[in-house]
């Protein structure tokens, strides 16, 4: 035998917690409509922002392989060569090709000590191996009292 307990009017229905009069029900309706409108605007804003970020990701230019940091002034002379991903690049810069970066380093422009583009470009030692006037690779001569490499031992 199943027991049924009838509690009668003491327990209200879960969905019967709304006010009984029409005026307060309409007020609640307006209040919820305002909240829904506010939530819809926020959803639209976030969807628009997400679409803009995705568009930015798709259309972002590629990071240059090599960058030359330039100085100030009208002529903006090159100051230092960096790898394109180097975190030490200043705000004044311009992208350069691999050949131009090698040429700038060979011409004596300073290489960044952090990303070491001279090593990445396989330029071993610009002071030791220089192209002479005859077009051949020669060793830098040592001055009086100056020693090089194993000569110091």
């Amino acid at each position: 035998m199943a027991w049924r307990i009838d509690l009668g009017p003491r327990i209200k229905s879960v969905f019967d917690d709304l006010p009984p009069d029409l005026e307060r029900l309409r007020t609640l309706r307006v209040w919820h409509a305002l909240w829904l409108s506010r939530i819809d605007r926020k959803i639209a804003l976030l969807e628009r922002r997400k679409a803009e970020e995705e568009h930015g990701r798709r259309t972002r230019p590629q990071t240059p392989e090599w960058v030359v940091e330039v100085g100030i002034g009208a002529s903006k002379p090159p100051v230092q060569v960096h790898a394109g991903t180097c975190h030490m690049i200043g705000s004044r810069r311009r992208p350069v090709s691999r050949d131009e970066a090698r040429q700038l380093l060979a011409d004596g422009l300073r290489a960044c000590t952090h990303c070491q583009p001279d090593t990445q470009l396989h330029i071993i030692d610009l002071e030791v191996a220089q192209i002479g006037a005859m077009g051949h690779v020669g060793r830098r001569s040592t001055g009086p009292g100056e020693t090089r490499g194993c000569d110091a031992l």
Side-chain angles (χ1 to χ4, degrees), residues 129-138:
Q130 292 182 342
I131 298 178
M134 303 286 270
H136 66 280
V137 177

Side-chain angles (χ1 to χ4, degrees), residues 75 118 122:
S75 63
D118 50 346
H122 305 293

Side-chain angles (χ1 to χ4, degrees), residues 11-130:
I11 295 182
K12 296 194 311 184
S13 170
V14 175
F15 299 108
D16 199 18
D17 61 345
L18 296 173
D21 59 305
L22 191 58
E23 185 177 336
R24 285 192 288 173
L25 283 172
R26 286 190 175 141
T27 302
L28 281 174
R29 171 107 175 59
V30 169
W31 184 82
H32 281 283
L34 289 173
W35 268 100
L36 280 175
S37 172
R38 208 173 148 200
I39 291 169
D40 288 344
R41 282 194 307 269
K42 184 68 172 194
I43 288 171
L45 172 77
L46 293 176
E47 286 174 342
R48 196 168 40 250
R49 187 177 298 161
K50 185 178 178 180
E52 288 170 357
E53 287 174 359
E54 182 59 33
H55 175 72
R57 246 189 307 286
R58 280 186 276 116
T59 59
R60 180 178 297 134
Q62 286 185 334
T63 302
E65 193 175 0
W66 307 103
V67 176
V68 66
E69 189 174 345
V70 295
I72 58 174
S75 63
K76 296 185 179 179
V79 177
Q80 200 171 37
V81 177
H82 296 270
T85 57
C86 181
H87 65 279
M88 296 300 290
I89 303 172
S91 58
R92 295 178 313 271
R93 59 181 132 185
R94 68 177 171 85
V96 294
S97 67
R98 180 180 186 87
D99 292 336
E100 188 177 353
R102 289 178 64 86
Q103 185 61 48
L104 288 168
L105 290 168
D107 289 344
L109 191 62
R110 223 174 41 193
C112 173
T113 56
H114 293 276
C115 63
Q116 300 177 336
D118 50 346
T119 304
Q120 292 182 40
L121 289 167
H122 305 293
I123 299 174
I124 305 302
D125 191 359
L126 293 174
E127 292 180 10
V128 174
Q130 292 182 342

